[in-house]
Amino acid sequence: MIVRIARSVEYLSAARKEVAVSRWLAGEGFPAARVVEDLEQPLMVDGHPVTFWHLVVEEGRAATYGELGAVLRDLHALTLPDGLELPHCSAFGLSDLRLERAAGMSEDDLEFLRKRGRELKERLAELRFGSPLGPVHGDAHTDNLMADRSGVVHLIDLENFCVPRR
């Protein structure tokens, strides 16, 4: 078993989301991190959200980009269950805030980045997708996959799950 302790109460909603996503994926038979089922989670301990997870005994190798692509293809094909509320994805995250707080950059460089950000946001808004938009992991990379001893690749770090804007 693994115990995860969040930094503060501000992470309670993320912990709740991660538990709900884990339970949903378990019900789908999707290979992902699994919470311990016989506990009401998350628990609050001294102002910290605490969750309990089943240990994935690793094979001892890094996941490949091909495995990441296969996991994401399967994930994006899933349909969210009624009652699982996920936030909308933000393709640009905190980029605007980070630009405003950037130190040591010239105003010309900052203005270039702001302009490029506006251009990319406009282009993203124009995109149309031919297939249905499914759930998004929100932090998908090979380090968020774990290959177990039988070779099954499990998706981990579920707190950034979101849904695309339709």
Side-chain angles (χ1 to χ4, degrees), residues 10-73:
E10 286 82 23
Y11 293 87
L12 179 58
S13 65
R16 285 181 176 145
K17 177 173 54 170
E18 193 169 23
V19 167
V21 167
S22 174
R23 289 181 172 151
W24 163 56
L25 293 176
E28 294 287 335
F30 191 90
R34 299 281 190 257
V35 293
V36 173
E37 282 298 326
D38 55 352
L39 293 175
E40 189 61 38
Q41 299 193 54
L43 301 175
M44 287 299 293
V45 178
D46 292 333
H48 299 274
V50 177
T51 54
F52 300 85
W53 299 83
H54 292 283
L55 176 67
V56 175
V57 180
E58 292 186 79
E59 183 179 32
R61 68 170 179 86
T64 68
Y65 290 108
E67 289 170 322
L68 176 62
V71 165
L72 293 178
R73 179 199 59 226

XYZ file of all heavy atoms in Angstrom, residues 10-73:
498
model
N -5.826 22.975 0.537
C -6.086 23.484 -0.807
C -6.072 22.367 -1.858
O -6.604 22.533 -2.945
C -5.070 24.562 -1.197
C -5.300 25.898 -0.509
C -4.716 25.951 0.890
O -3.790 25.176 1.199
O -5.217 26.767 1.690
N -5.473 21.242 -1.547
C -5.393 20.116 -2.481
C -6.520 19.098 -2.286
O -6.541 18.056 -2.934
C -4.033 19.422 -2.358
C -2.898 20.301 -2.818
C -2.276 21.186 -1.952
C -2.462 20.268 -4.146
C -1.252 22.007 -2.377
C -1.438 21.086 -4.574
C -0.836 21.951 -3.688
O 0.182 22.768 -4.117
N -7.468 19.412 -1.398
C -8.550 18.470 -1.116
C -9.372 18.161 -2.367
O -9.678 17.001 -2.639
C -9.445 19.000 0.003
C -10.632 18.112 0.384
C -10.163 16.725 0.817
C -11.454 18.780 1.484
N -9.742 19.163 -3.135
C -10.555 18.893 -4.333
C -9.786 18.056 -5.336
O -10.358 17.178 -5.985
C -11.065 20.191 -4.959
O -9.990 20.966 -5.433
N -8.486 18.281 -5.480
C -7.673 17.468 -6.387
C -7.604 16.023 -5.902
O -7.676 15.081 -6.701
C -6.267 18.053 -6.520
N -7.485 15.834 -4.592
C -7.450 14.475 -4.039
C -8.787 13.773 -4.256
O -8.824 12.592 -4.615
C -7.097 14.519 -2.553
N -9.882 14.491 -4.055
C -11.206 13.903 -4.305
C -11.352 13.497 -5.768
O -11.874 12.430 -6.077
C -12.299 14.889 -3.929
C -12.515 15.035 -2.459
C -13.635 16.012 -2.157
N -13.886 16.071 -0.737
C -14.237 17.165 -0.096
N -14.419 18.305 -0.755
N -14.436 17.133 1.206
N -10.904 14.371 -6.662
C -10.989 14.070 -8.088
C -10.153 12.837 -8.437
O -10.597 11.956 -9.151
C -10.540 15.266 -8.919
C -10.552 14.981 -10.418
C -10.263 16.198 -11.284
C -9.003 16.895 -10.939
N -8.626 17.922 -11.928
N -8.951 12.775 -7.898
C -8.065 11.650 -8.184
C -8.679 10.324 -7.713
O -8.627 9.322 -8.426
C -6.707 11.884 -7.518
C -5.637 10.956 -8.008
C -4.254 11.366 -7.552
O -4.109 12.080 -6.543
O -3.303 10.943 -8.228
N -9.292 10.321 -6.547
C -9.956 9.118 -6.029
C -11.123 8.737 -6.948
O -11.285 7.567 -7.315
C -10.426 9.329 -4.572
C -11.382 8.229 -4.129
C -9.214 9.401 -3.638
N -11.939 9.714 -7.317
C -13.104 9.442 -8.179
C -12.664 8.910 -9.536
O -13.258 7.960 -10.073
C -13.942 10.707 -8.345
N -11.614 9.484 -10.109
C -11.119 9.022 -11.409
C -10.574 7.607 -11.287
O -10.840 6.753 -12.137
C -10.055 9.993 -11.971
C -9.301 9.382 -13.144
C -10.706 11.317 -12.382
N -9.840 7.325 -10.223
C -9.302 5.979 -10.023
C -10.427 4.946 -9.931
O -10.353 3.874 -10.539
C -8.444 5.926 -8.754
O -8.034 4.602 -8.486
N -11.466 5.274 -9.193
C -12.595 4.341 -9.053
C -13.312 4.145 -10.383
O -13.713 3.031 -10.725
C -13.544 4.836 -7.966
C -12.927 4.676 -6.585
C -13.829 5.126 -5.470
N -13.217 4.757 -4.198
C -13.387 5.416 -3.080
N -14.186 6.476 -3.042
N -12.782 5.022 -1.975
N -13.497 5.219 -11.134
C -14.121 5.107 -12.457
C -13.280 4.220 -13.376
O -13.807 3.302 -14.011
C -14.304 6.502 -13.064
C -14.545 6.495 -14.534
C -15.531 5.835 -15.209
C -13.781 7.160 -15.529
N -15.429 6.065 -16.568
C -14.363 6.884 -16.774
C -12.658 7.997 -15.470
C -13.849 7.396 -17.968
C -12.168 8.503 -16.651
C -12.752 8.195 -17.875
N -11.963 4.467 -13.451
C -11.099 3.678 -14.327
C -11.060 2.213 -13.896
O -11.019 1.321 -14.747
C -9.696 4.284 -14.371
C -9.597 5.660 -15.041
C -8.175 6.216 -14.932
C -10.050 5.608 -16.490
N -11.095 1.966 -12.600
C -11.139 0.581 -12.106
C -12.397 -0.105 -12.614
O -12.362 -1.259 -13.062
C -11.076 0.550 -10.587
N -13.529 0.596 -12.538
C -14.788 0.035 -13.022
C -14.773 -0.253 -14.510
O -15.473 -1.147 -14.985
N -13.969 0.493 -15.252
C -13.829 0.292 -16.697
C -12.809 -0.802 -17.021
O -12.643 -1.158 -18.184
C -13.376 1.597 -17.375
C -14.379 2.717 -17.310
C -15.557 2.494 -18.241
O -15.412 1.778 -19.248
O -16.644 3.034 -17.942
N -12.086 -1.264 -16.003
C -11.019 -2.230 -16.238
C -9.801 -1.603 -16.889
O -8.964 -2.288 -17.463
N -9.678 -0.294 -16.779
C -8.579 0.447 -17.388
C -7.356 0.366 -16.485
O -7.464 0.578 -15.273
C -8.998 1.912 -17.584
C -8.056 2.694 -18.439
C -8.252 2.750 -19.809
C -6.979 3.364 -17.889
C -7.385 3.476 -20.616
C -6.110 4.090 -18.685
C -6.311 4.145 -20.053
N -6.177 0.076 -17.025
C -4.975 -0.060 -16.194
C -4.485 1.299 -15.686
O -3.893 2.080 -16.429
C -3.953 -0.710 -17.130
C -4.398 -0.309 -18.502
C -5.893 -0.183 -18.440
N -4.767 1.561 -14.434
C -4.381 2.834 -13.816
C -4.167 2.617 -12.330
O -4.518 1.567 -11.786
C -5.476 3.875 -14.050
N -3.601 3.632 -11.688
C -3.414 3.584 -10.239
C -4.760 3.300 -9.573
O -5.781 3.834 -9.983
C -2.839 4.902 -9.751
N -4.755 2.448 -8.556
C -5.987 2.043 -7.872
C -5.964 2.469 -6.416
O -5.025 2.151 -5.674
C -6.150 0.523 -7.907
C -6.251 -0.078 -9.280
C -7.657 0.100 -9.825
N -7.838 -0.661 -11.044
C -7.828 -0.130 -12.267
N -7.645 1.161 -12.423
N -8.021 -0.871 -13.328
N -7.029 3.155 -6.001
C -7.162 3.483 -4.577
C -7.609 2.231 -3.831
O -8.221 1.331 -4.408
C -8.170 4.622 -4.330
C -7.664 5.930 -4.898
C -9.541 4.287 -4.834
N -7.299 2.199 -2.555
C -7.804 1.133 -1.694
C -9.306 1.355 -1.582
O -9.763 2.434 -1.205
C -7.105 1.163 -0.319
C -7.742 0.173 0.628
C -5.608 0.886 -0.496
N -10.085 0.341 -1.925
C -11.532 0.498 -2.062
C -12.313 0.505 -0.763
O -13.346 1.123 -0.676
C -12.095 -0.606 -2.969
C -11.860 -0.338 -4.430
C -12.536 0.932 -4.918
O -13.627 1.287 -4.439
O -11.960 1.596 -5.786
N -11.853 -0.165 0.252
C -12.678 -0.288 1.455
C -12.484 0.867 2.444
O -12.803 0.754 3.616
C -12.446 -1.634 2.136
C -10.989 -1.901 2.465
O -10.122 -1.117 2.033
O -10.712 -2.900 3.150
N -12.004 1.996 1.949
C -11.848 3.198 2.763
C -12.599 4.351 2.114
O -12.584 4.503 0.893
C -10.380 3.615 2.847
C -9.410 2.720 3.586
C -7.993 3.267 3.431
C -9.767 2.643 5.053
N -13.227 5.178 2.932
C -13.788 6.433 2.421
C -12.622 7.405 2.302
O -11.934 7.674 3.286
C -14.845 6.971 3.395
C -15.610 8.134 2.856
C -16.390 7.821 1.600
O -16.956 6.705 1.486
O -16.429 8.701 0.717
N -12.390 7.888 1.097
C -11.214 8.728 0.849
C -11.613 9.978 0.100
O -12.617 9.962 -0.605
C -10.208 7.958 -0.006
C -9.692 6.696 0.631
C -8.495 6.168 -0.128
O -7.523 6.872 -0.340
N -8.571 4.917 -0.541
N -10.801 11.018 0.199
C -9.612 11.170 1.032
C -9.968 11.433 2.497
O -11.055 11.909 2.803
C -8.915 12.398 0.432
C -10.002 13.178 -0.196
C -11.034 12.187 -0.646
N -9.030 11.120 3.357
C -9.148 11.455 4.771
C -8.453 12.793 4.989
O -7.531 13.141 4.264
C -8.451 10.400 5.631
C -8.930 8.956 5.514
C -8.041 8.053 6.350
C -10.374 8.840 5.939
N -8.888 13.538 5.988
C -8.184 14.767 6.366
C -7.447 14.499 7.667
O -8.047 14.072 8.654
C -9.163 15.923 6.547
C -9.723 16.452 5.251
S -8.453 17.103 4.132
C -7.879 18.524 5.051
N -6.137 14.711 7.665
C -5.308 14.504 8.847
C -4.469 15.765 9.058
O -3.633 16.106 8.205
C -4.394 13.265 8.686
C -3.508 13.098 9.910
C -5.210 12.007 8.418
N -4.736 16.452 10.142
C -4.009 17.692 10.465
C -3.955 18.659 9.291
O -2.912 19.255 8.993
C -2.587 17.375 10.947
C -2.568 16.681 12.292
O -3.522 16.876 13.084
O -1.602 15.937 12.563
N -5.082 18.807 8.582
C -5.153 19.756 7.476
C -4.584 19.267 6.164
O -4.431 20.043 5.223
N -4.274 17.966 6.096
C -3.698 17.392 4.882
C -4.612 16.293 4.332
O -4.933 15.350 5.066
C -2.322 16.776 5.162
C -1.323 17.757 5.653
N -0.564 18.520 4.812
C -0.973 18.114 6.916
C 0.230 19.298 5.523
N -0.007 19.068 6.812
N -5.008 16.371 3.063
C -5.739 15.261 2.458
C -4.815 14.050 2.320
O -3.677 14.174 1.854
C -6.137 15.794 1.079
C -6.008 17.278 1.183
C -4.917 17.528 2.174
N -5.305 12.893 2.736
C -4.518 11.662 2.709
C -5.293 10.615 1.917
O -6.496 10.420 2.138
C -4.244 11.147 4.147
C -3.480 9.832 4.115
C -3.491 12.204 4.957
N -4.595 9.953 0.985
C -5.198 8.887 0.191
C -4.330 7.636 0.266
O -3.125 7.707 0.505
C -5.381 9.321 -1.281
O -4.130 9.784 -1.802
C -6.430 10.420 -1.406
N -4.989 6.489 0.039
C -4.325 5.189 0.146
C -4.467 4.460 -1.186
O -5.573 4.346 -1.723
C -4.947 4.365 1.278
C -4.826 5.033 2.615
C -5.762 5.975 3.028
C -3.764 4.740 3.459
C -5.652 6.611 4.254
C -3.647 5.376 4.690
C -4.592 6.307 5.090
N -3.355 3.939 -1.679
C -3.284 3.363 -3.021
C -2.662 1.973 -2.977
O -1.814 1.684 -2.139
C -2.427 4.260 -3.912
C -3.013 5.625 -4.033
C -2.871 6.673 -3.152
C -3.867 6.086 -5.057
N -3.594 7.744 -3.581
C -4.214 7.423 -4.753
C -4.381 5.505 -6.220
C -5.046 8.179 -5.562
C -5.207 6.272 -7.021
C -5.527 7.583 -6.695
N -3.085 1.137 -3.927
C -2.436 -0.160 -4.108
C -1.084 0.059 -4.783
O -0.963 0.872 -5.694
C -3.297 -1.093 -4.976
C -4.557 -1.518 -4.304
N -4.579 -2.491 -3.328
C -5.833 -1.091 -4.446
C -5.821 -2.659 -2.908
N -6.603 -1.807 -3.568
N -0.105 -0.674 -4.332
C 1.244 -0.587 -4.886
C 1.297 -1.278 -6.246
O 0.806 -2.400 -6.394
C 2.238 -1.252 -3.928
C 3.691 -1.332 -4.382
C 4.298 0.068 -4.463
C 4.487 -2.197 -3.416
N 1.871 -0.616 -7.232
C 2.167 -1.250 -8.517
C 3.618 -1.714 -8.418
O 4.532 -0.904 -8.288
C 2.006 -0.265 -9.700
C 2.443 -0.925 -11.006
C 0.571 0.230 -9.796
N 3.817 -3.027 -8.436
C 5.169 -3.572 -8.358
C 5.761 -3.480 -9.764
O 5.306 -4.146 -10.690
C 5.171 -5.025 -7.838
C 6.590 -5.547 -7.772
C 4.498 -5.082 -6.465
N 6.753 -2.629 -9.900
C 7.294 -2.305 -11.217
C 8.173 -3.398 -11.794
O 8.837 -4.140 -11.072
C 8.092 -1.011 -11.151
C 7.238 0.205 -10.898
C 8.036 1.467 -10.989
O 8.296 1.914 -12.120
O 8.401 2.000 -9.927
N 8.175 -3.422 -13.113
C 8.996 -4.342 -13.881
C 10.452 -3.892 -13.901
O 11.351 -4.683 -14.140
C 8.440 -4.419 -15.312
C 9.138 -5.390 -16.216
C 8.515 -5.435 -17.598
O 8.002 -4.408 -18.058
O 8.567 -6.503 -18.204
N 10.678 -2.615 -13.682
C 12.043 -2.104 -13.671
C 12.483 -1.523 -14.994
O 13.675 -1.471 -15.299
N 11.528 -1.083 -15.801
C 11.875 -0.450 -17.075
C 11.000 0.781 -17.267
O 9.932 0.897 -16.687
C 11.661 -1.409 -18.239
C 10.200 -1.742 -18.479
C 10.002 -2.502 -19.795
N 8.606 -2.831 -20.015
C 7.717 -2.016 -20.582
N 8.083 -0.812 -20.985
N 6.467 -2.388 -20.757
N 11.488 1.682 -18.075
C 10.718 2.886 -18.390
C 9.674 2.550 -19.455
O 9.900 1.707 -20.320
C 11.648 3.977 -18.899
N 8.544 3.218 -19.369
C 7.512 3.059 -20.396
C 7.970 3.748 -21.679
O 8.763 4.685 -21.652
C 6.199 3.678 -19.917
N 7.461 3.276 -22.793
C 7.839 3.833 -24.091
C 6.793 4.841 -24.571
O 5.664 4.866 -24.077
C 7.966 2.718 -25.148
O 6.652 2.178 -25.393
C 8.912 1.614 -24.691
N 7.168 5.619 -25.558
C 6.215 6.560 -26.154
C 5.106 5.819 -26.879
O 3.964 6.278 -26.901
C 6.930 7.533 -27.093
C 7.795 8.501 -26.332
C 9.186 8.395 -26.360
C 7.222 9.510 -25.573
C 9.974 9.277 -25.648
C 8.011 10.399 -24.854
C 9.390 10.273 -24.903
O 10.163 11.139 -24.190
N 5.423 4.668 -27.454
C 4.385 3.850 -28.079
C 3.349 3.392 -27.068
O 2.150 3.400 -27.347
N 3.815 2.993 -25.878
C 2.884 2.595 -24.820
C 2.049 3.785 -24.354
O 0.851 3.650 -24.109
C 3.651 1.978 -23.650
C 4.220 0.619 -23.968
C 5.175 0.100 -22.910
O 5.951 0.896 -22.346
O 5.139 -1.119 -22.653
N 2.678 4.944 -24.258
C 1.934 6.143 -23.878
C 0.833 6.428 -24.900
O -0.316 6.678 -24.530
C 2.867 7.346 -23.765
C 2.204 8.690 -23.466
C 1.500 8.668 -22.128
C 3.245 9.807 -23.531
N 1.164 6.357 -26.175
C 0.166 6.588 -27.213
C -0.987 5.606 -27.134
O -2.153 5.990 -27.270
N -0.683 4.342 -26.892
C -1.737 3.322 -26.796
C -2.637 3.572 -25.591
O -3.863 3.462 -25.688
C -1.109 1.929 -26.723
N -2.040 3.925 -24.455
C -2.823 4.200 -23.248
C -3.732 5.409 -23.478
O -4.915 5.389 -23.144
C -1.895 4.424 -22.024
C -2.637 5.064 -20.866
C -1.262 3.108 -21.592
N -3.186 6.464 -24.093
C -3.989 7.669 -24.329
C -5.096 7.415 -25.345
O -6.215 7.922 -25.184
C -3.092 8.823 -24.773
C -2.124 9.327 -23.706
C -1.248 10.432 -24.280
C -2.851 9.787 -22.459
N -4.812 6.625 -26.371
C -5.862 6.271 -27.344
C -7.020 5.580 -26.634
O -8.184 5.935 -26.818
C -5.289 5.362 -28.432
C -6.323 4.920 -29.472
C -5.881 3.685 -30.250
N -5.654 2.587 -29.325
C -4.588 1.793 -29.366
N -3.656 1.920 -30.275
N -4.453 0.815 -28.481
